[in-house]
Each structure stands twice: as structure tokens, then as C-alpha cells.
DNA sequence: AGACAGGGGAGTG
DNA sequence: CACTCCCCTGTC
């Protein structure tokens, strides 16, 4: 098995923190399915072992080319965030494919992680084609334009989100997503918000996890909970206010702070 | 058995 | 802002 040396990286935290859904842990290995790629990973200390992908792909996917230490330094504003960082050190924001990310988070509304995983698995099984790696099999994720059959989408148990997926499929191309990526945070966000089924939180997720907007600060119930507890003396605060506070307070890499706090709070339950 | 929540969003008032 | 409904699954 090939390997690369990795610094400031924790594979388990990165895959399991809830930002990404199409992976499966089997024995000591993680099998990752993403668009047309299927690869196998394992971390041993500072070595990342891999099969069926390339060093270049992994560096991009896990953002191994960015200066983690300086990001951590810039968001380490107080004892609360420092504590979360300490316990989850090495967690990185994954650079997902924007299309798969968009559909994933459209599925996420009023759902939970097991259900989102199931929906994505059914969608790829229904619309993608089979991939094999050793004795493990999964499916490619359908491309923009391939999710047009409403009935078939509904069979993937996505409920009322089926029409959102169909519409996103009609209105989105890779070219459009690329042009969204080129815009600044606010412009990019307003473009995503034009899609039906994409509101504030989902737009921020797509921006953070796939469009290189690391200052995005998605506020779901968990982030709302942890932020109220740590920064608002347990007072009820609107999600909009929390988002604006988070972006101002943590700055350019607020999205990293967001993910640390989110996963840290979820682990406590 | 049936009610309810689960990583929201859109539409209304 | 606050409220309701949305489709589906797992849980108590």
C-alpha cells in the first residue's frame, strides 16, 4: 500500500465529524466514495496509507496543502475553542465536489446523519454505476443532469426534498458551480439561495465544505446549542445572530471553528 | 400503537 | 420574529 506523510491530520476526526457522508469503516480501513472515486484509507501515526487514489487527490481532498497551524492559531480566541481544538486536533475541512455536496445537504434538511447516508447511498445506487475495490463495492454519484426523474428520486426515500433535488439538477451545472466559487462569500451565498430547498444553513455548508469559503459559519441546532452555552450565557439567540457573531469573532477561518465546536458538542450529547 | 424528534426551508401573518 | 407544514425513519 502506498502512503504519504501527513502533519496535523487526523483521518478519523476528519471523516467522522459529520461534514461528509459517503464513507464506510470496515475493520481498520475507511472506504471513501466520492463522485467517480472509490478509495481506501488508513492512518498510522503520521502516515496516511492509501489505495486506488493518488497523493495529489488526497492533498486536495483533505486540504493537506494549507497551513493548519496558522489556521488554528487564528481561530484560537479563547479557552472554549482551545479545548475543542485540543480534543479534536487534526480535524480538517474536506474539499468536496460542490455538486455532491449540494445534493447531500439538500437531503440533510430536517433529517439526521444515518438518514442522509441512506439517501445518498440509494441515490448513487439508483443513478450511478457500480465501483469495485477489492471485495468492497459502492456506486458513483450521479452528475448534474442525471437526477431528472422525480419518481426515481422519490424511491430513494428523500421525501419532500425530491422536487428540490430535481430542480437543483435542472438549474445546476459544473460551470455554474465554478462561477459561484469565484465570487466572494456574500455573492456566492446569494446565488446558492436562489435554489429551492437551499436556505441559510445549507448554503453555508456548501460554501464551507465545497466552495472554499472558509469563513462560512453554518448554524444548525447543534451549533446554536453550543454557541448559546459558551458565548451567550445560555440565552436563546437567533441563528442569524449566531452566524454573524461567529464570523466576526473567529474571522477568516470561522468555518474551522464552527466544525470543531459542532463535533465537540455532538460528542458530549 | 402512536407520537415525536431528527444537522431546515418556504410560506404566512 | 414566530408559527406551520413538509416526507420519511428510527425510537420510546
Amino acid at each position: 500500500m502506498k502512503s504519504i506523510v501527513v502533519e496535523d491530520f487526523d483521518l478519523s476526526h476528519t471523516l467522522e465529524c459529520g461534514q461528509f457522508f459517503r464513507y464506510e469503516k470496515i475493520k481498520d480501513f475507511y472506504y471513501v466514495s466520492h463522485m467517480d472515486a472509490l478509495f481506501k484509507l488508513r492512518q498510522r501515526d503520521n502516515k496516511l496509507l492509501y489505495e486506488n487514489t493518488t497523493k495529489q487527490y488526497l492533498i486536495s481532498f483533505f486540504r493537506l496543502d494549507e497551513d493548519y497551524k496558522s489556521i488554528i492559531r487564528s481561530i484560537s480566541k479563547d479557552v472554549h475553542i482551545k479545548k475543542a481544538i485540543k480534543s479534536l486536533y487534526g480535524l480538517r475541512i474536506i474539499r468536496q465536489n460542490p455538486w455532491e455536496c449540494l445534493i447531500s445537504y439538500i437531503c440533510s434538511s430536517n433529517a439526521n446523519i444515518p438518514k442522509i447516508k441512506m439517501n445518498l447511498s440509494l441515490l448513487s445506487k439508483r443513478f450511478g454505476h457500480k465501483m469495485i475495490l477489492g471485495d468492497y463495492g459502492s456506486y458513483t454519484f450521479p452528475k448534474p443532469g442525471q437526477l431528472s426523474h422525480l419518481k426515481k428520486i422519490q424511491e430513494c426515500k428523500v421525501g419532500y426534498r425530491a422536487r428540490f433535488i430535481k430542480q437543483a439538477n435542472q438549474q445546476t451545472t459544473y460551470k455554474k458551480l465554478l462561477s459561484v466559487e469565484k465570487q466572494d462569500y456574500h455573492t456566492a451565498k446569494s446565488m446558492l439561495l436562489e435554489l429551492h430547498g437551499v436556505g441559510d444553513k445549507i448554503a453555508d455548508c456548501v460554501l464551507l465544505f465545497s466552495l472554499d469559503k472558509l469563513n462560512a459559519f453554518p448554524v444548525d441546532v447543534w451549533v446554536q446549542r453550543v454557541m448559546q452555552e459558551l458565548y451567550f450565557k445560555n440565552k436563546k439567540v437567533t441563528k442569524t445572530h449566531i452566524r454573524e457573531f461567529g464570523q466576526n469573532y473567529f474571522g477568516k477561518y470561522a468555518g474551522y471553528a464552527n466544525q470543531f465546536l459542532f463535533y465537540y458538542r455532538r460528542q458530549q450529547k
Side-chain angles (χ1 to χ4, degrees), chain A residues 91-102:
Chain A
L91 188 163
R92 296 207 180 222
I93 302 291
I94 292 177
R95 186 183 277 124
Q96 298 186 39
N97 173 282
W99 166 250
E100 184 171 327
C101 188
L102 172 65

Side-chain angles (χ1 to χ4, degrees), chain A residues 5 15 55 77 117 129 134 141 148 221-222 238 245-246 256:
Chain A
V5 174
L15 282 177
K55 178 178 178 176
K77 300 284 187 183
K117 284 189 172 190
H129 61 261
F141 197 78
S148 55
V221 293
W222 291 95
T238 64
F245 170 83
Y256 264 96

